[in-house]
Amino acid sequence: MNLKIGVIKGDGIGPEIVTEAMKVLDKVAEVYGHQIQYTQLLMGGASIDVHGVPLTEETIEKAKASDAVLMGSIGGDAKTSPWYQLEPSKRPEAGLLKIRKELRLFANLRPAVLYEELKEACPLKEEITQGGFDMMIMRELTGGLYFGARSTEEVDGLLTARDTLTYNEAEIRRIAKRGFEIAKKRRKKVTSVDKANVLDSSRLWRKIVEEVAKGYPEVTLEHMLVDNCAMQLVKDPRQFDVILTENMFGDILSDEASMVTGSIGMLASASLNESKFGLYEPSGGSAPDIAGKGIANPIATILSAAMMLRFSFDLDREADAVEAAVAKVLKAGYRTKDILSDGKVQVGTGEMGDRICSYIEK
Ligand code: IPM
Ligand code: MG
């Protein structure tokens, strides 16, 4: 198969972790007989440095011309980076939000899995996590607060800021369907998370999710308020299968979920549109404090590449091979600094990538 992959290395640790994911993809291509054609694309701070804006038309067009896009991370240190002297719409994050919108990537999948081998890195008590947990956070990605009108102005002599949270029923329906489709292939449970005791947008969310649920009688639906969900994630993470939620709640809950897996450096993500196209990126940020040191954990990016093989190319065997290789490396005791525990062997970013490659087999 010929795989046309757009690559946004991005900022901070982005270039280092994407390099490792490309290494793994190349190894997969070699072992399974595929050809990969990479197109390097600029976005975020790296694009600001060259073009003065975080996302150009050229990047959007080239991304659209690819089958899928692999991304590192974007953004820098808000206190010291000159990118944050720019107005908000010109900063790195604005590029990320815009590309999600332009490519219509409304469905963001963030799997949070506790690996048996990483139990010691999990901050929760063992009795809470015994047997592990495996949940999929399905975050709506192109609506809600992050895309509503916003302004800051003086009202009655007081600086007043406004953000708007809007969802229409079609936006809710399409993400809900995706959530139920995924749940059907998993443990058949959807927890829809909202704040329906306060927000109109949440009340509509709940109503539409209930309508969609009627088409999936084999899937159990429960509703949970977002504040309770934040608590349940640390009290009993095993109860969750698919968490279906709107943009901002999903942003916050997925960071929380990543932490209970041991490290945000383990959390992959896929952002999908109506077709097979997707943008694949680790859920963590660009970690400028450790950039260039060769210590960043590339596993989330490598697992994102596995999601790409699965969702954009239907290469399930290849995706399984990557996931199995990650599990084997962890089992063999190799750890990057963020997931290191007593008795394990610390390796750098590049060595972690090499070791994962060495376990890729047919
Ligand atoms: C994420 C990030 C982004 C988001 C930021 C960088 C805009 O936190 O992917 O979770 O909020 O979506
Ligand atoms: Mg986030």
Side-chain angles (χ1 to χ4, degrees):
M1 188 172 184
N2 197 17
L3 285 56
K4 273 174 67 187
I5 302 177
V7 177
I8 299 172
K9 289 196 168 179
D11 310 318
I13 58 171
E16 298 160 64
I17 54 182
V18 170
T19 300
E20 299 314 309
M22 289 169 72
K23 245 190 219 171
V24 173
L25 284 171
D26 288 339
K27 183 68 193 280
V28 167
E30 184 196 315
V31 172
Y32 287 84
H34 302 298
Q35 289 77 45
I36 307 185
Q37 190 189 327
Y38 296 109
T39 308
Q40 299 291 338
L41 308 172
L42 284 181
M43 200 180 91
S47 173
I48 297 175
D49 289 345
V50 177
H51 301 291
V53 288
L55 178 66
T56 59
E57 280 306 314
E58 188 193 346
T59 290
I60 296 172
E61 288 317 311
K62 286 190 173 159
K64 282 184 180 162
S66 314
D67 300 320
V69 174
L70 177 68
M71 197 183 109
S73 46
I74 53 110
D77 183 338
K79 284 203 195 92
T80 55
S81 163
W83 302 328
Y84 296 89
Q85 304 297 317
L86 300 166
E87 58 164 286
S89 67
K90 299 241 166 67
R91 293 178 194 165
E93 288 74 5
L96 179 58
L97 294 176
K98 187 168 173 204
I99 201 168
R100 288 173 178 166
K101 194 76 172 178
E102 290 279 344
L103 302 177
R104 303 162 57 85
L105 306 171
F106 66 90
N108 183 213
L109 276 68
R110 298 187 163 183
V113 180
L114 182 66
Y115 283 84
E116 181 62 24
E117 292 76 19
L118 288 186
K119 269 178 11 201
E120 298 103 274
C122 172
L124 302 181
K125 281 193 212 133
E126 220 188 308
E127 68 225 46
I128 296 180
T129 57
Q130 209 137 52
F133 55 79
D134 175 355
M135 66 184 106
M136 178 69 86
I137 300 191
M138 173 67 97
R139 168 188 178 193
E140 200 292 326
L141 202 60
T142 54
L145 265 180
Y146 296 8
F147 292 93
R150 62 181 110 261
S151 63
T152 307
E153 59 200 339
E154 220 176 275
V155 176
D156 298 334
L158 296 173
L159 264 182
T160 306
R162 180 176 60 97
D163 296 282
T164 40
L165 200 180
T166 307
Y167 272 106
N168 67 39
E169 54 179 306
E171 290 172 307
I172 301 169
R173 196 166 288 118
R174 66 180 180 181
I175 186 77
K177 280 192 182 152
R178 279 291 172 93
F180 281 92
E181 287 295 333
I182 295 272
K184 227 166 77 173
K185 298 190 193 129
R186 295 172 46 100
R187 299 195 310 281
K188 302 186 175 48
K189 180 176 172 193
V190 168
T191 304
S192 174
V193 175
D194 61 37
K195 187 71 185 170
N197 54 346
V198 180
L199 303 174
D200 259 25
S201 54
S202 283
R203 287 188 271 267
L204 181 63
W205 181 276
R206 213 174 254 222
K207 176 172 180 286
I208 302 299
V209 169
E210 274 174 7
E211 276 174 32
V212 171
K214 294 202 180 99
Y216 299 86
E218 69 276 47
V219 178
T220 309
L221 168 67
E222 69 174 14
H223 299 286
M224 192 178 277
L225 296 173
V226 62
D227 43 357
N228 184 27
C229 183
M231 184 175 79
Q232 295 298 332
L233 274 172
V234 289
K235 193 172 165 229
D236 179 18
R238 284 171 304 198
Q239 69 183 286
F240 296 109
D241 179 16
V242 174
I243 292 181
L244 170 67
T245 192
E246 64 90 50
N247 202 342
M248 183 173 68
F249 297 160
D251 185 19
I252 298 168
L253 294 176
S254 60
D255 268 27
E256 187 187 358
S258 76
M259 206 51 238
V260 300
T261 69
S263 169
I264 198 157
M266 297 297 298
L267 211 70
S269 102
S271 306
L272 308 174
N273 67 12
E274 297 281 4
S275 70
K276 289 260 153 216
F277 182 86
L279 184 141
Y280 299 83
E281 54 172 316
S283 294
S286 60
D289 52 322
I290 58 162
K293 294 188 177 157
I295 57 170
N297 184 350
I299 293 180
T301 319
I302 291 168
L303 291 173
S304 302
M307 290 183 90
M308 167 189 285
L309 294 169
R310 198 182 297 288
F311 291 113
S312 285
F313 299 110
D314 288 322
L315 296 173
D316 287 318
R317 269 186 327 158
E318 287 81 342
D320 289 345
V322 174
E323 287 166 6
V326 169
K328 281 184 190 153
V329 166
L330 294 175
K331 198 164 205 105
Y334 298 103
R335 303 282 189 273
T336 42
K337 194 165 174 232
D338 55 315
I339 49 174
L340 189 64
S341 56
D342 280 352
K344 305 298 177 199
V345 186
Q346 186 175 341
V347 295
T349 312
E351 188 177 343
M352 181 55 98
D354 290 339
R355 293 206 174 267
I356 292 172
C357 282
S358 74
Y359 282 114
I360 301 280
E361 50 203 26
K362 226 173 176 165

